[in-house]
Amino acid sequence: MSEGPEKLIRVKDVAKGYRIGSHEVEVLHGINLEVREREFISIMGQSGSGKTTLMNLIGMLDRPDSGRILFNDVDITGKTQKELVEFRRRTVGFVFQQFHLIPSLTAYENVAMPLVFAGDKDHDAVASALERVGLAHRMDHKPVELSGGEQQRVAIARAIVMKPKILLADEPTGALDAATGLRIISLLKSLSGDMTVVMVTHNRELASYSDRIVHIQDGNIAE
Amino acid sequence: MNLHSIVLKDISRRKTKLIVAVLGVVVAAAALVAVVTTFTAATESLYEESNTFGANIVVKPETRSIPLVAGSTSAGSLFTGENYIEESEIPRIYTIENKANLAVVAPRLYGIAELGNSPVVVMGVDPEEEMKLKAWWNIRGHWMAEEGPEKTEIMVGSDIAGPMGLEEGSLVTLKQGDVYIDARIAGVIESTGGNEDGYVILPLAASQYLFGKEGKVSSLEIRALCNDCPVEEMSRQIMEVFPGLEARPMSQIVQNEMTMIEHAQSSAMAVSVIILLVSALTVASTMLASINEKIKEIGIMRAVGASDTQIVSMLFLEGAIIGALGGILGFFIGTGASFIAAPLTVSVTPSPIWMILPAVSGICILTGMAASLVPARKALGIDPAEVLRSV
Ligand SMILES: Nc1ncnc2c1ncn2[C@@H]1O[C@H](COP(=O)(O)OP(=O)(O)OP(=O)(O)O)[C@@H](O)[C@H]1O
Ligand SMILES: [Mg+2]
């Protein structure tokens, strides 16, 4: 097999469990996964199989119990909380099932938030991110004034405004109807020309638009 | 857009929460401002009073000199208070250098007589002069006249009038030895908290008749009208004119009143500080309640790159804004409250003390920020992974 594009993410023997009361429940048992640059992959699996858990680990919102996660061959599992914040800001964008926009802020302001936290003064990226998702004309609207699909597109604009290397989308179409969901997928597909996209979905048809599908089963990866 | 504008927008969206939190601060700030404004006005009016009426000077026979002058035979009379000022000599006071400053010269004669069967302190006064000194007395009835049309008119203090059931128009008999005076109550002095509450007050001439002290007075109370009265100097001048009399400036009295006001002020301040602490708790609990709503938003912000420091500084900023709003509003409400309360409680009209606005706002901002400590701690414990888990 020829050398493909660089491996951007390497998940090596990652295990993660949760402590419920006195006993530990392991959700992921030694996951191995490699994702190339600008790859669009779908993660599927039953409810409770640990998809969100894996996304949070890749997105550095959580730490594995054992194993390592590398970005461009840099091990991030040893980084301090402070280093992680800075690294996450410029490397990862999140899209959630429930959009998670701040209701008091307009579309523009929601998209600008990552720039504000990163201390970037230049907000030109906001307009281009909104253009990219086709919502430049709605930038002064509050989330309640937007449809579900539009809210999710604003959330995507917010996720890409820092030009991250990875876009993590956890069931991005879960709260949308089929037609709207399809539009979101095609948007993610086009974004994968610029960045790696990791998407969790329950929908086999939507997953088929991605380059690759991986399944999580019994805490392990089954491609 | 920056951190501040995110906080401002967030606050403006939670108006009810904001109002509750701000009200907590307003109550404390208003109490603080009302106390300071009222007591400052009271203190100022006391100074002013002592300035307009000038120094209070009390002139009495110089008791110590009596034994030296009169020898041992008079020593006994010293203790029964047989030392008097001759009424006819009083006009000599108008020969002092600062005579222009003499606003009121009120002669008084003190003694003890029986009213009904109880002994009472009797104070003979020149009604006209006394009225100038005691303009602030509230009289149920009217001021007694120098000489009653038929009967002698007298006034009684509330401690006497109450138990004896005396009121305007009551007829009484004062008795001292073999001397009787049938008198009519012209008025009852409403309680002042001072000595007069226990006095029977009658015209000087009548009291001199009652005690057999025609042409004599016990003391002179003097008030001078000037802005910066040379009290000590005037006392000295008076003593020069009246050898054997002692003229004592009453600045101590003003001092005593000041001490009382200061005492009242410090206890009122203590209450305000307690209110301030309670308000900090109110703000903290309001912010804590709103943080429970905000947990999700804080999780989102952390997921899109907010650091702990940024989250905490946003919470502090929110606390500071609540504090500032509460402090400024509280200043105006407290000032307004003291405009209503001060005339009723300390009989003065206050004026707004703009000087304390920055201090009060500062204290309230600190209070608001202190109140953010608890929610901030809680916010740091928020795990974005958990909060954002799509359900
Ligand atoms: N904070 C936690 N504490 C305890 N258990 C947890 C916690 N988070 C997740 N779990 C458990 O870990 C398992 C995997 O959860 P996860 O959310 O990763 O599943 P998922 O594959 O995303 O499911 P879904 O498709 O329903 O979103 C579940 O059994 C869940 O109950
Ligand atoms: Mg999930």
Side-chain angles (χ1 to χ4, degrees):
Chain A
M1 227 180 133
S2 66
E3 280 279 304
E6 289 269 314
K7 295 278 191 290
L8 180 66
I9 309 165
R10 287 174 214 262
V11 178
K12 287 189 171 174
D13 303 320
V14 161
K16 175 75 183 174
Y18 295 103
R19 180 171 283 284
I20 303 164
S22 59
H23 57 124
E24 186 102 357
V25 179
E26 194 169 82
V27 179
L28 303 176
H29 328 290
I31 290 267
N32 281 289
L33 177 67
E34 295 192 339
V35 188
R36 290 188 302 275
E37 247 180 82
R38 287 188 266 282
E39 191 179 14
F40 181 11
I41 82 162
S42 294
I43 297 175
M44 297 190 73
Q46 285 183 334
S47 182
S49 56
K51 304 182 296 296
T52 299
T53 302
L54 178 60
M55 292 289 262
N56 287 341
L57 291 175
I58 296 175
M60 294 170 271
L61 286 178
D62 211 347
R63 288 170 188 275
D65 296 337
S66 63
R68 297 191 301 154
I69 298 172
L70 296 102
F71 277 91
N72 277 335
D73 297 325
V74 177
D75 187 356
I76 54 144
T77 39
K79 285 191 186 287
T80 66
Q81 196 61 40
K82 217 174 156 186
E83 289 168 334
L84 278 186
V85 170
E86 185 58 28
F87 192 67
R88 194 170 60 213
R89 273 175 187 161
R90 312 210 171 259
T91 317
V92 191
F94 288 96
V95 176
F96 308 94
Q97 180 177 355
Q98 302 298 334
F99 323 140
H100 289 329
L101 299 174
I102 306 282
S104 56
L105 303 181
T106 62
Y108 181 94
E109 291 160 347
N110 266 288
V111 173
M113 235 182 352
L115 295 168
V116 171
F117 290 131
D120 290 2
K121 295 274 176 290
D122 179 15
H123 289 190
D124 291 348
V126 178
S128 47
L130 279 165
E131 248 160 57
R132 187 77 194 264
V133 300
L135 281 177
H137 60 297
R138 292 300 189 92
M139 63 169 123
D140 293 327
H141 290 242
K142 296 244 174 92
V144 285
E145 299 157 1
L146 299 170
S147 74
E150 287 170 333
Q151 287 185 52
Q152 192 60 301
R153 278 148 68 197
V154 172
I156 292 170
R158 181 181 64 186
I160 62 170
V161 73
M162 296 291 291
K163 303 184 178 64
K165 292 223 172 327
I166 312 152
L167 183 63
L168 297 175
D170 193 349
E171 298 187 45
T173 62
L176 303 172
D177 62 60
T180 316
L182 211 53
R183 237 190 121 176
I184 294 296
I185 298 300
S186 72
L187 178 57
L188 293 179
K189 175 97 185 151
S190 85
L191 288 172
S192 70
D194 297 322
M195 61 193 76
T196 301
V197 178
V198 181
M199 171 177 79
V200 169
T201 180
H202 285 288
N203 188 315
R204 192 165 294 278
E205 192 208 329
L206 295 181
S208 69
Y209 287 89
S210 58
D211 305 332
R212 181 160 62 113
I213 302 175
V214 296
H215 293 269
I216 297 188
Q217 214 164 12
D218 304 324
N220 288 301
I221 294 281
E223 291 217 19
Chain B
M1 183 154 122
N2 51 29
L3 277 189
H4 301 188
S5 51
I6 294 180
V7 173
L8 286 176
K9 279 172 199 276
D10 192 62
I11 280 183
S12 64
R13 193 171 63 86
R14 297 167 201 277
K15 285 215 178 62
T16 322
K17 280 271 143 52
L18 176 70
I19 289 167
V20 173
V22 168
L23 274 184
V25 181
V26 165
V27 170
L32 211 63
V33 170
V35 166
V36 172
T37 308
T38 302
F39 282 98
T40 305
T43 316
E44 265 169 14
S45 91
L46 189 63
Y47 272 125
E48 208 167 280
E49 194 178 302
S50 66
N51 276 343
T52 15
F53 293 119
N56 301 333
I57 301 169
V58 171
V59 181
K60 281 181 187 158
E62 192 181 342
T63 47
R64 266 186 317 170
S65 68
I66 299 295
L68 298 175
V69 174
S72 57
T73 45
S74 291
S77 59
L78 174 70
F79 296 106
T80 54
E82 290 290 327
N83 305 299
Y84 295 98
I85 302 168
E86 291 297 328
E87 199 181 347
S88 57
E89 305 219 326
I90 295 173
R92 270 180 31 214
I93 200 168
Y94 293 104
T95 65
I96 66 167
E97 197 186 323
N98 283 74
K99 56 181 178 281
N101 292 335
L102 291 168
V104 181
V105 177
R108 286 176 177 176
L109 178 65
Y110 293 96
I112 295 191
E114 278 175 36
L115 179 64
N117 283 325
S118 328
V120 290
V121 177
V122 171
M123 180 168 86
V125 302
D126 177 340
E128 214 175 289
E129 293 292 300
E130 200 67 25
M131 204 189 301
K132 288 187 223 162
L133 280 183
K134 306 294 188 185
W136 47 277
W137 277 0
N138 288 321
I139 311 280
R140 281 198 303 272
H142 58 86
W143 268 84
M144 64 197 182
E146 186 114 26
E147 259 167 64
E150 297 143 36
K151 280 199 162 53
T152 307
E153 284 194 324
I154 66 171
M155 303 195 302
V156 291
S158 57
D159 288 353
I160 293 178
M164 292 190 174
L166 300 178
E167 54 184 40
E168 181 186 8
S170 301
L171 297 177
V172 294
T173 302
L174 279 166
K175 174 171 176 279
Q176 210 292 124
D178 298 334
V179 187
Y180 293 83
I181 292 182
D182 290 325
R184 189 181 160 281
I185 309 273
V188 174
I189 305 159
E190 279 179 20
S191 178
T192 61
N195 290 337
E196 50 270 14
D197 284 359
Y199 284 177
V200 170
I201 298 170
L202 64 165
L204 190 60
S207 66
Q208 288 168 338
Y209 168 71
L210 185 63
F211 297 118
K213 294 283 180 278
E214 278 81 2
K216 301 201 188 296
V217 300
S218 311
S219 67
L220 298 176
E221 179 151 324
I222 293 166
R223 275 192 166 153
L225 188 71
C226 52
N227 260 334
D228 200 8
C229 272
V231 200
E232 312 285 337
E233 170 61 15
M234 285 176 74
S235 303
R236 205 186 50 72
Q237 292 171 3
I238 291 167
M239 287 197 276
E240 240 164 50
V241 181
F242 298 108
L245 291 189
E246 182 187 53
R248 205 156 58 87
M250 299 257 290
S251 48
Q252 295 107 303
I253 290 179
V254 175
Q255 210 60 55
N256 286 348
E257 280 183 49
M258 291 297 280
T259 317
M260 263 174 54
I261 287 187
E262 275 161 17
H263 269 221
Q265 182 168 17
S266 50
S267 35
M269 280 300 252
V271 172
S272 309
V273 168
I274 291 169
I275 297 175
L276 196 68
L277 290 179
V278 172
S279 94
L281 291 180
T282 311
V283 178
S285 73
T286 319
M287 289 188 65
L288 210 51
S290 82
I291 208 172
N292 286 331
E293 283 175 24
K294 269 202 301 201
I295 275 183
K296 199 181 93 179
E297 282 184 21
I298 289 175
I300 297 169
M301 290 183 185
R302 295 181 80 178
V304 302
S307 66
D308 288 353
T309 322
Q310 286 169 326
I311 297 284
V312 170
S313 61
M314 286 170 82
L315 286 168
F316 274 152
L317 182 61
E318 182 180 341
I321 291 172
I322 289 170
L325 283 177
I328 293 168
L329 243 119
F331 173 84
F332 288 104
I333 292 176
T335 302
S338 74
F339 270 76
I340 297 169
L344 300 175
T345 53
V346 286
S347 312
V348 290
T349 312
S351 47
I353 311 173
W354 296 104
M355 239 169 55
I356 60 171
L357 180 56
V360 167
S361 312
I363 290 172
C364 290
I365 288 172
L366 287 180
T367 306
M369 289 176 64
S372 319
L373 279 174
V374 185
R377 277 192 60 127
K378 184 152 189 176
L380 290 184
I382 294 173
D383 177 2
E386 204 155 322
V387 174
L388 301 179
R389 192 164 281 280
S390 316
V391 182

